[in-house]
């Protein structure tokens, strides 16, 4: 339908990526483990780690180049690494009118390119991002504060997995109807009615991605690639503290688009200074028909309320609970929970916040344990995990922003309640400017109104609450009620009782949260794997959508039919 | 998961309907002609017509029985047939609290029943409705004013097709993920991580169907069956003038539900007196999570704006255009258009309103025809089609409400512009009380501002406008602009020029309306066939959704995952 479709590179890309696309569609239906992007850093070659670091360093303290991108001459930026390094990168700035004009001009050819071409281009973008996973690791690390190993995996291949998953869903959804179908309706003795019907995917318009500080790629790629694969040019508005990973993404996307014969402005960057409000302006522009957002509940609610011209996909805040009823592997439980609370300093939307523990204690393979013993042993497990500073910083990463640091300090000062585990400042050997804190564990009582007010609010960061509850039944009801009223991105539980497990499953289904049961090994409640686990449910206040299901992609386009007699 | 699932009838229903369900899913993907419900009245047996008529008549002038349904003792109703007969049926009334309490009590077992059970129950409901198509024909005829033959087909098997299509889409969407999947992630030399993941469909909550006057079943069944099949109990709020077809539907659904071991209150009826406002009250109840609506733009917009707790699927008003550029079958075109304008007195949301004709005339197989000739010949074709009163009433049906009659009178009085064809009152042989009017055709000019104001508003009913335009290019642009600003449920065009056809297709894709090209035989622009044609696009202001696609069903449920180590 356009010159772009016949560009020689497009056919080559389709050939190159067809098998991966088909495997991804298949994997999303089967839900077994699958990924085309290796998660082990060494898989990328001998020199990849050094090359990636050098590539990252070459980006620092200079303007970020985006050839052909709208620009008014201003450079904006000011990212400072949570590890204490100023990035010193200036990104090209352009006003909303110029950005939207550029995206609008790029729209028709991209909208007409069709699902297979768009999927192939998207997979080429992902492949090039994948090849630069080491570079992305540093970019993610120094904007989010994630430890290097996590920044590599979660910011690299795991984020790419989520992007590919979105492309696979988008492709499958767009190809459910044939491009053309014959229709023959018998008319008794008369000649049948015969028609040809063509079904064409019509993208919605322009898409806006509003990125978050903590997982710019992992939480950004699903919406970005879902919109792109369904034919909607995407304006990427990164969090002002985490621009670089998405700016790199935009640059790579533009390179691939241009090589494939498309206007690179199919993907643009809306960088701004911290404290800017361009997201609010862009979100209500009539041209913006799709918005993907991860961040605070306040702004997410504002988007849902005000961006009425757009389909809005939000992931907001929640309060995640773990019900601790009983376990056949006490040590495994403690170690698993300790890691879950410590990973990235609890700065994940899926980190458990409230550990709901019967005040009468729990049964374990090591005998009955009182509430106090469980709390003390969990505190010890966290301390053990983080006793070595090098290992601690490799798990904790760095504190991403002053709000998180303030909550850690408040916990340390006893503001939330009695401390079972005090946070500790950890020195970072490589980055002395890094702000690193171990988790705080605070003892609260579900039956005390003041305590309830504390643990029923989100306390984002390395602060968790060991909440004493009347009994397991009360814990299950508290889980249900917390999910319903506060929302949750994850839930977990430990029990050896089939009856309790059934009650937990019922509460999870009823309140609409996914549940991890009895995790004692190398899988954690805060982690979900693309092609197998859904991230969020869209069934409770924490999010109105999930990565990734049919609903995440089905309304990013519409279908127009042209029919005529054959 | 519930006693209901093991009810013996459920297994029997699954067996009985599995092949039809699978064929429906297959047909929806292939888009060739397919239907399990015969559209020929005689297919239903020798005595079916008489039996259906008798069954209908036995409903008149008495209370409508809904055993076990919430009821406060009041009977409401007051339906009057457009054919001049008072129906005299009193429907049980219940207040919103009682209705919602009943639906809520019925919800858990239905939500837990699972996709296959629900599909089987839905198909049994449809099968019993189908067997009573002759009874439904009379119920639809005497509430909507459709002629008997149309009431039989559109109100019977064609509506059932749309209901089945929604069930097929809902079933396919709910079964895209396996109920349970194994997940094995290699860990190099260590043992792999092995988990079992269960994916459970979690319905949204309660659904509200707000029915319309003209197509209570055809426009009601998609939303009703989509919500039901995805596990959401449905409160059916019929239009006060078209209660009976949906009340029969509710009664049959309740019978099947009860027989299959479910609470019949999974489907309830919210009947009210004309002028009632219960829809407004129900639509913002927190328990109502899904709303399907067909009707005025004003109330549809109000729903979209105010029922923020629900997913809202609307079909509203639009302005449908036909571009007349040229034709290789002048007579076929005139006859096709004449029938399109006349069918059900133009009281379809898909009836062409604006015929856009170059003022310089068009090329045809019968030579060049001036604008005036085309208009005159079209008027003659309508007159010819409707010259015989019996044939006329069989095509026209009756005028559904005073608003339509008023617009016909306004056209007759020259209020809209110069008449090319005056409406004529037709006597109905069988029903002397019927109000029947032939279509009016009014000549307007696209370049006159007063005329533009007329044809750019919806003029629902038997009034069409022959709009003189500068040339075909102007007609295409007018089509595009009308769809974009006013919305449209259909578009059509006649042309022999590949260039014009390409421009028309581009305009249709760009503005988001489905297009019928060069219809000169037994297919009409105002008709769409389930399993093949999409009804509406959801891409222009006339509707935010379509019958039927993935987006129509994908967000009527969410998926919750439970995972544990194997």
């Amino acid at each position: 339908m356009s010159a772009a479709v016949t560009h020689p590179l497009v056919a080559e890309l389709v050939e190159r990526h067809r098998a991966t696309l088909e495997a991804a569609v298949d994997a999303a239906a089967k839900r077994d483990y699958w990924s085309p992007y290796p998660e082990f850093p060494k898989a990328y070659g001998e020199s990849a780690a050094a090359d990636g670091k050098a590539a990252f360093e070459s980006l620092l303290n200079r303007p970020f180049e985006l050839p052909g991108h709208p620009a008014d001459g201003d450079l904006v930026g000011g990212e400072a690494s949570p590890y204490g390094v100023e990035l010193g990168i200036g990104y090209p700035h352009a006003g909303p009118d110029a950005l939207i004009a550029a995206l609008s001009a790029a729209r028709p050819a991209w909208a007409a390119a069709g699902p297979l071409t768009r999927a192939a281009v998207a997979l080429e973008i992902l492949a090039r991002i994948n090849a630069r996973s080491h570079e992305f690791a540093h970019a993610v690390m120094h904007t989010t504060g994630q430890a290097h190993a996590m920044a590599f995996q979660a910011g690299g291949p795991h984020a790419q997995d989520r992007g590919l998953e979105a492309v696979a869903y988008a492709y499958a959804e767009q190809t459910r109807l044939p491009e053309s179908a014959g229709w023959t309706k018998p008319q008794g003795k008369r000649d049948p009615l015969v028609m040809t019907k063509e079904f064409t995917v019509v993208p919605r318009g322009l898409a806006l991605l509003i990125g978050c500080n903590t997982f710019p790629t992992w939480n950004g790629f699903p919406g970005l690639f879902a919109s792109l694969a369904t034919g909607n040019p995407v304006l990427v508005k990164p969090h002002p503290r985490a621009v670089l990973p998405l700016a790199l993404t935009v640059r790579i996307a533009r390179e691939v688009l241009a090589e494939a014969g498309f206007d690179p402005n199919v993907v643009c960057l809306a960088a701004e200074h911290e404290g800017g409000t361009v997201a609010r302006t862009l979100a209500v522009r009539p041209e913006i028909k799709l918005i993907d957002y991860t961040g605070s509940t306040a702004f997410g609610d504002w988007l849902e309320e005000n961006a009425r011209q757009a389909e809005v996909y939000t992931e907001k805040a929640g309060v995640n609970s773990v019900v601790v009823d009983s376990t056949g592997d006490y040590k495994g439980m403690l170690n698993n929970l300790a890691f879950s609370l410590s990973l990235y300093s609890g700065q994940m939307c899926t980190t458990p916040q409230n550990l709901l523990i019967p005040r009468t204690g729990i049964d374990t393979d090591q005998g009955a344990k009182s509430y106090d013993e469980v709390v003390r042993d969990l505190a010890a497990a966290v301390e053990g995990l983080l006793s070595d500073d090098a290992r601690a910083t490799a798990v904790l990463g760095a504190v991403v922003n002053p709000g998180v640091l303030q909550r850690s300090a408040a916990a340390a000062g006893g503001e939330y309640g009695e401390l079972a585990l005090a946070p500790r400042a950890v020195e970072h050997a490589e980055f002395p400017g890094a702000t690193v804190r171990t988790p705080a564990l605070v003892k609260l009582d579900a039956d005390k109104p003041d305590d309830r007010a504390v643990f029923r609010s989100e306390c984002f960061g390395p602060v968790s609450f060991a909440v004493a509850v009347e009994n397991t039944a009360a814990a299950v009801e508290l889980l249900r009620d917390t999910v319903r009223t506060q929302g949750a991105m994850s839930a977990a539980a430990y029990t050896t009782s089939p009856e309790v497990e059934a009650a937990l499953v019922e509460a999870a289904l009823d309140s609409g949260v996914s549940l991890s049961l009895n995790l004692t090994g190398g899988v954690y409640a805060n982690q979900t794997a693309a092609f197998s686990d859904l991230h969020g449910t869209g069934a409770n206040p924490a999010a109105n959508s999930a990565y990734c299901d049919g609903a995440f992609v089905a309304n990013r386009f519409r279908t127009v039919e042209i029919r005529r007699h054959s």
Side-chain angles (χ1 to χ4, degrees), chain A residues 102-114:
Chain A
L103 289 152
S104 297
R107 191 188 62 76
W110 187 244

Side-chain angles (χ1 to χ4, degrees), chain A residues 390-410:
Chain A
R391 184 165 158 197
T393 52
V395 173
L396 294 167
V399 169
V400 68
N401 68 38
V404 172
L405 187 62
Q406 182 270 321
R407 284 186 287 277
S408 174

Side-chain angles (χ1 to χ4, degrees), chain A residues 443-490:
Chain A
K443 292 168 77 170
L444 298 175
D445 191 313
D447 292 339
K448 292 185 181 162
D450 286 357
D451 286 8
R452 288 180 80 90
V454 172
F455 69 73
R456 294 191 59 122
S457 296
E458 191 198 35
C459 187
F460 186 76
V463 181
S464 289
F465 303 120
V467 181
V469 293
E470 184 62 27
N471 52 33
T472 296
V476 173
E477 288 318 301
L478 187 51
L479 166 72
R480 184 200 311 266
D481 193 58
T482 304
V483 175
R484 274 195 184 156
T485 57
Q486 311 305 118
M489 291 303 296
S490 71

Side-chain angles (χ1 to χ4, degrees), chain A residues 24-354:
Chain A
V25 170
D26 191 50
K30 288 212 176 73
R31 315 306 287 183
D32 196 356
Y33 172 77
W34 184 79
S35 170
Y37 308 124
E39 66 179 7
F40 296 106
K42 290 183 179 163
Y44 293 81
E46 280 292 314
S47 67
D51 292 349
K53 189 160 190 241
F56 165 71
E57 286 169 352
S58 76
L59 296 166
L60 304 180
N61 302 308
R62 58 189 296 177
F64 188 88
E65 284 170 27
L66 283 177
H69 192 279
D72 59 16
D74 273 5
L75 290 177
V76 298
E79 291 160 288
S81 164
Y83 291 92
V85 183
E86 295 286 330
L87 301 196
I89 307 173
Y91 300 94
H93 179 266
D97 287 341
L99 290 166
I100 285 179
L103 289 152
S104 297
R107 191 188 62 76
W110 187 244
L116 183 59
T117 293
R118 288 193 294 257
V121 169
L123 263 65
E124 177 65 16
I125 295 168
L126 284 164
R128 294 198 195 177
I129 290 171
N130 175 252
R132 291 164 67 172
S133 290
H134 280 280
E135 182 182 353
F136 271 84
H138 291 279
V140 169
M141 176 180 174
H142 286 289
T143 48
T144 68
Q146 290 178 27
H148 183 267
M150 181 176 178
F152 179 85
Q153 288 197 338
H158 294 177
Q160 296 148 23
D161 283 340
R162 284 289 181 200
L164 175 57
E165 183 186 56
V167 174
Y169 267 91
Y171 178 74
E173 195 68 32
Q174 293 172 92
T175 53
R176 284 174 81 172
L177 295 192
E179 287 182 28
S180 178
W183 181 82
T184 304
K185 182 175 179 181
Q187 296 291 295
K189 291 169 189 162
R190 288 172 293 152
D191 286 343
L193 296 170
V194 183
M195 301 196 81
T196 301
K197 304 180 179 189
E198 289 164 13
F199 301 95
T200 303
V201 164
V202 175
R204 285 286 190 176
L206 305 186
L208 174 65
L209 169 68
I210 304 175
C212 70
N213 194 171
T214 47
F215 290 92
T217 55
W218 199 95
N219 276 88
F221 283 3
L224 167 62
F225 283 98
S227 287
L228 202 57
T230 48
N232 306 279
V234 183
L235 182 54
V236 176
K237 210 304 283 177
H239 191 284
R241 292 166 165 272
V243 181
L244 183 58
L246 289 176
L248 281 172
T249 303
V250 168
R251 186 153 80 187
I252 293 168
R254 294 169 60 84
E255 286 165 5
V256 174
L257 285 159
E259 287 175 34
F262 293 99
D263 183 338
N265 288 329
V266 166
V267 179
C268 288
L269 183 74
E272 64 174 348
H273 287 292
E274 189 165 356
T277 58
V278 73
R280 214 170 264 264
T281 304
L282 292 168
V284 295
R285 284 285 300 234
E287 300 89 344
I288 298 289
K289 299 296 189 190
L290 299 166
I291 298 175
D292 286 271
Y293 167 77
T294 308
S296 73
T297 295
F299 191 55
D301 288 347
W302 185 89
L303 286 170
E304 291 175 20
E305 193 66 37
N306 291 281
R308 306 302 307 281
Q309 86 292 351
E311 303 285 321
V312 179
Y313 304 85
T314 59
E315 182 185 321
K316 300 173 288 189
V319 174
N320 306 317
S321 305
V322 182
V323 172
V324 182
D325 168 72
S326 53
T327 178
D329 180 1
Y330 188 56
K331 194 178 162 204
M333 176 184 89
L334 293 173
N335 288 340
N336 188 281
L337 282 175
F339 190 82
S340 272
L341 302 185
S342 303
L343 182 62
Y344 187 28
S345 311
Q347 299 171 130
M348 301 175 73
C349 58
T350 48
T351 301
Q353 174 179 306
N354 297 341

